[in-house]
Amino acid sequence: MKKILTAIALFAAGSMIFAYNPPVSGEDLGRLADPIALTSAASASGGALTQVVPASILYNPALPYLVQRTTVDLSYTGMIDSNNKNTTNVKYGQAFQMGTIIPTKLFVYTGMLQGSFVYFPEMNTGSSIVIHGGASKDITDKLYVGANLYTGFYFASGSDFTIGVDLGMLYDLGKLSFLKDCRLGISLLNLGKPLTGNYKCIGLNGAEGEGFAISYPGICTPRVSFGATLFDVKKFKGGFSADLSFPFFQNAVFDCGLGFTFADIVNLSCSWQANLRELIKGAQFNMPSVGVGVKFSFTSAKISAANEDWAKSDMTTTAAWQQVYGGVQVISAGAVMSLGQQDTSAPEIILWFGDEGEEE
């Protein structure tokens, strides 16, 4: 009986491997919906400048613990197909993203909603709405862990849904040689049900399929990342990050990013991604992405009257661009609002002994 069960399991695994056929861009579709993720933060270590936003949970659900302020964001991406090879009437695609990070005494909670509507011949992923919800926590001063629950609804030619969990950890390595603020991120993503039924789109094999034939996101995607600060001179700071992921153990995807910030106000970031399976199948080479962000600080008398810790807040607006797959122009813009001031000082404890007012 055990031999029969083992044979069935091996046959099923072999069938899935043979039929694995994700659409172009399907293995990292969420990156296109957010300008910060598009240019730097699509990383399990937080990106070049440790820019953690709600979309960061797509890569490592432990990352939001680094954000100790209530955060909300909203972004929109337009995609224009300027490739002359596209002879269809579909020249415009779009995506949006909204999310929040809410810190509490025990956990940091994150919620995010993303939508994508893309029907280009170069990257036909159809329409999807995906919801993520997660929690992160510190284990030690240097180790953070997190988990997400997600579900997605896909509709185009047919419809289907996904559901699953993501797991992740982040370790603060401190200083290594000349590198500062070194971070190691490890995550295990997409542990759950992929598209398995009545959904059709164009996969990498160039044919329409359904079930595991267009399975994405790939079941079980391990990801490892390293990020660090390269230099920090007066008001000028630069960093980098590098990620390697293995969707469904059938592909290898490399992500790298560079980021620079001046006076903690103006950010310049860029990133590049290489998807091995897409390149082998003849997908066009992607250009590096480029993004610029500007931070604005503001105060609110009404807010501070109720809670002086929220007297100072800030908002970062970001715009980004990338050309993908030979002629699809991706233009993304968004805003991230962080409420209140981050608590960077440890609690002060004073003990009194003896007579009142005598301090020791």
Side-chain angles (χ1 to χ4, degrees):
M1 185 64 180
K2 290 183 178 180
K3 292 181 178 180
I4 295 175
L5 293 175
T6 301
I8 292 173
L10 291 174
F11 176 79
S15 299
M16 289 187 292
I17 292 172
F18 176 77
Y20 180 59
N21 182 27
V24 173
S25 80
E27 292 170 319
D28 197 9
L29 188 60
R31 183 179 68 94
L32 302 178
D34 185 281
I36 295 179
L38 181 67
T39 57
S40 178
S43 168
S45 61
L49 298 174
T50 322
Q51 291 177 282
V52 179
V53 292
S56 298
I57 63 174
L58 295 174
Y59 305 96
N60 188 343
L63 284 171
Y65 190 80
L66 299 177
V67 180
Q68 293 298 315
R69 307 166 70 186
T70 299
T71 300
V72 294
D73 78 341
L74 177 65
S75 61
Y76 175 82
T77 298
M79 288 166 266
I80 304 169
D81 194 345
S82 61
N83 196 331
N84 293 328
K85 294 181 180 180
N86 181 0
T87 59
T88 71
N89 294 324
V90 181
K91 298 290 187 178
Y92 189 78
Q94 56 189 328
F96 73 89
Q97 185 261 326
M98 59 180 68
T100 184
I101 299 175
I102 303 175
T104 67
K105 292 182 179 180
L106 293 179
F107 297 96
V108 174
Y109 296 101
T110 306
M112 188 187 66
L113 171 67
Q114 280 192 342
S116 178
F117 313 92
V118 184
Y119 293 89
F120 301 143
E122 299 91 338
M123 46 183 295
N124 190 324
T125 56
S127 299
S128 62
I129 300 290
V130 184
I131 303 171
H132 280 75
S136 54
K137 182 176 176 58
D138 62 325
I139 301 300
T140 69
D141 291 341
K142 292 182 175 293
L143 177 63
Y144 318 112
V145 297
N148 293 332
L149 176 65
Y150 69 85
T151 185
F153 303 92
Y154 296 75
F155 44 96
S157 178
S159 62
D160 199 3
F161 75 97
T162 62
I163 186 170
V165 298
D166 303 323
L167 306 174
M169 58 83 68
L170 181 71
Y171 189 77
D172 182 2
L173 297 170
K175 184 177 180 180
L176 298 176
S177 184
F178 67 94
L179 299 175
K180 301 178 182 178
D181 187 30
C182 298
R183 310 170 307 278
L184 174 66
I186 300 174
S187 55
L188 199 57
L189 310 174
N190 308 324
L191 301 174
K193 174 191 176 298
L195 301 179
T196 57
N198 304 313
Y199 184 75
K200 296 181 180 179
C201 65
I202 300 175
L204 280 171
N205 291 340
E208 289 193 351
E210 54 186 300
F212 273 106
I214 49 88
S215 171
Y216 81 97
I219 301 174
C220 187
T221 300
R223 190 180 190 102
V224 62
S225 174
F226 178 80
T229 298
L230 287 169
F231 62 87
D232 190 352
V233 181
K234 294 184 179 180
K235 296 183 178 182
F236 192 44
K237 180 179 178 181
F240 80 99
S241 65
D243 286 52
L244 191 61
S245 61
F246 303 92
F248 201 15
F249 298 98
Q250 302 301 306
N251 194 7
V253 182
F254 175 71
D255 289 86
C256 61
L258 283 173
F260 306 93
T261 182
F262 179 74
D264 197 30
I265 296 176
V266 179
N267 298 328
L268 175 64
S269 55
C270 61
S271 68
W272 179 71
Q273 182 185 88
N275 186 306
L276 181 60
R277 193 181 181 99
E278 291 181 357
L279 293 175
I280 291 175
K281 291 295 182 178
Q284 291 291 319
F285 208 72
N286 288 340
M287 298 286 290
S289 64
V290 179
V292 177
V294 180
K295 181 186 292 186
F296 303 91
S297 298
F298 57 90
T299 59
S300 173
K302 292 183 178 180
I303 293 178
S304 60
N307 186 344
E308 63 179 11
D309 291 335
W310 282 29
K312 186 177 181 181
S313 302
D314 59 68
M315 179 175 67
T316 300
T317 57
T318 305
W321 167 87
Q322 184 179 19
Q323 177 176 296
V324 298
Y325 307 117
V328 178
Q329 311 298 325
V330 179
I331 303 170
S332 184
V336 180
M337 182 176 292
S338 300
L339 304 176
Q341 302 181 69
Q342 186 162 339
D343 186 3
T344 59
S345 59
E348 183 180 0
I349 301 176
I350 300 176
L351 301 177
W352 282 270
F353 299 93
D355 296 335
E356 183 178 354
E358 184 178 342
E359 185 177 315
E360 295 186 3

